[in-house]
Amino acid sequence: MNQPLSFDVLIIGSGAAGLTLALSLPDSMDVAIISKDALDAGSTRWAQGGVAGVLDETDTVEAHVDDTLDAGAGLCHEPAVKFTVSHSQAAIQWLIDQGVPFTREDGEHFHLTREGGHSARRIIHAADATGIAISDTLIQRAREKSNLHLFDHYIAIDLITREKLGLDGSGCVGAYFLNKKNKSVEAIRAKSVALATGGASKVYLYTSNPDGASGDGIAMAWRAGCRIANMEFNQFHPTCLYHPMAKSFLITEAVRGEGGHLLLPDGDRFMERFDARGELAPRDIVARAIDHEMKRLGADCLYLDISHKPADFLKQHFPTIYERCLKLGIDITKEPIPVVPASHYTCGGVVTDEYGRTDIEHLYAIGETACTGLHGANRLASNSLLECLVYARSAAEHITQNLSQLDAPEIPVWDASQVTNSDENVVISHNWDELRRFMWDYVGIVRTTKRLVRAKHRVKLLRQEIQEFYSHYEVTSDLLELRNLVDVAEIIIRSALQRKESRGLHYSLDYPAPLPRAFDTLLSAKYLKELGEL
Ligand SMILES: Cc1cc2nc3c(=O)[nH]c(=O)nc-3n(C[C@H](O)[C@H](O)[C@H](O)COP(=O)(O)OP(=O)(O)OC[C@H]3O[C@@H](n4cnc5c(N)ncnc54)[C@H](O)[C@@H]3O)c2cc1C
């Protein structure tokens, strides 16, 4: 193994959160930015809608705060919401200054859209591809800076803490990585480490997220001793295209907005049985209704039909969906679109304060990986990119003011003497499928205690098997992601079992009402180990 590389700051993740942090640190700092795939492979690039912020003179911080609190169903931390929203204008201005080409109305003013749950027009966007504009611009800016060192196709395995090294004191001092290009394990040490690894939606069979959303940062922080909060709150998008050749393709809510009907396999409409607003009910109600009907009928998917509208209208309003479906043999002007709900956003994560600080000294978590208290029990649309920006900038401020003068300690080389090359990779692919299937069936949109307990037993067996595999065989990217997913699944199941109520995105048939007071679900691996639970 090579000698560890050494940096002032190690940022794991090159999405909106990681790159904003990197670009907000002083040029005097040597910074490593790591991505397990290409630099733009995270969810950031996939964002369509935009970034929420108080940008219009008729809008107010109070109104944006109120909308966020409403969506969060009583579980948002009000100080975190106020902190985020009051920094929205400056954070978005920073993005504009970086050169993100947001859409302008009249060559001067930025065009703002309004999304569900927002009481004002406050979403700044770059047409319907905001994520691409942000990702391309920030990567370009990062490439221009000589103090920023970009590493792609390096996947973090685990964090290294002073405690793990048997040293005095506490604090994160680096991480081990698998270099996917040459398959070697390398260590990187740093005075400060930030997790900006995105969400964990890949733990479910159907997801709108890219493949890498396997909750790696959450799992690494969990194993290192950080508290993880509110992981039972996973946002599901009601309609993702269901087709063996289509991966993670969202059918926008605008299709329902323009009169699309949701249909059972026999062609019957059903939404009005669940909500008087029918197909126009809020996202979580529609997702829950689809899930209910799919489970009741044992159906693989339901259908979204807009073929009663003129073909020209559909081609003009939904060109991307029209083209994509047509390529797969579905003509949306003539037939219904097969759809399933899909896991979309992880509201919970690593517990942090307003500077992105975690429970471990010199370890920060930002973006979808973190739980800042902003989203509570349900995320308000387009608040997530805002959260990435605001907390990355405040983490940069804290790191700048508190960077140690001392180098991080020496890190021992990765010991691979006890492991061999596996010829049983089928175990990994089988376990991937099994995990994501039972999470979908037992821990999905509508939950029962019985199903959650069943999932808890399954996850225990899988963990043992994966741990055994991890101890005996050389690490691969798939194995590392699976190991992280099984930890995340365990945290989600335990969190869901702990919540004896329905609130926001967590809906239990056994506890259909909310409790009078809202509490966070906080879990710690250390504590569970002390109880003999892990
Ligand atoms: C289809 C879609 C549409 C969306 N639309 C919007 C929207 O309009 N507005 C909005 O606010 N939000 C939207 N979101 C959510 C938003 O895009 C994400 O919450 C946000 O981009 C997360 O940014 P991030 O920087 O935290 O993580 P990501 O952008 O997901 O980046 C994660 C990074 O971490 C790296 N990484 C992960 N694990 C490891 C590891 N083990 N080792 C090394 N590197 C690792 C990845 O390679 C990647 O570089 C959308 C999401 C999706 C999927």
Side-chain angles (χ1 to χ4, degrees), residues 184-263:
S184 68
V185 175
E186 300 171 15
I188 296 184
R189 56 190 195 128
K191 297 172 185 171
S192 283
V193 178
L195 294 167
T197 42
S201 284
K202 193 79 185 174
V203 75
Y204 288 102
L205 185 59
Y206 302 113
T207 174
S208 65
N209 283 209
D211 279 347
S214 47
D216 297 4
I218 297 170
M220 286 191 283
W222 167 253
R223 291 193 292 267
C226 293
R227 283 168 308 153
I228 310 293
N230 294 348
M231 285 295 288
E232 66 275 39
F233 298 109
N234 200 99
Q235 193 171 63
F236 288 83
H237 194 285
T239 51
C240 204
L241 178 61
Y242 177 74
H243 189 280
M245 301 303 287
K247 229 175 164 187
S248 316
F249 184 67
L250 281 188
I251 306 294
T252 162
E253 275 155 298
V255 173
R256 282 182 285 121
E258 292 298 341
H261 298 158
L262 279 164
L263 305 178

Side-chain angles (χ1 to χ4, degrees), residues 420-435:
T420 56
N421 202 341
S422 160
D423 56 0
E424 286 286 336
N425 283 339
V426 64
V427 175
I428 297 178
S429 58
H430 175 90
N431 286 347
W432 258 91
D433 293 344
E434 187 181 338
L435 177 77

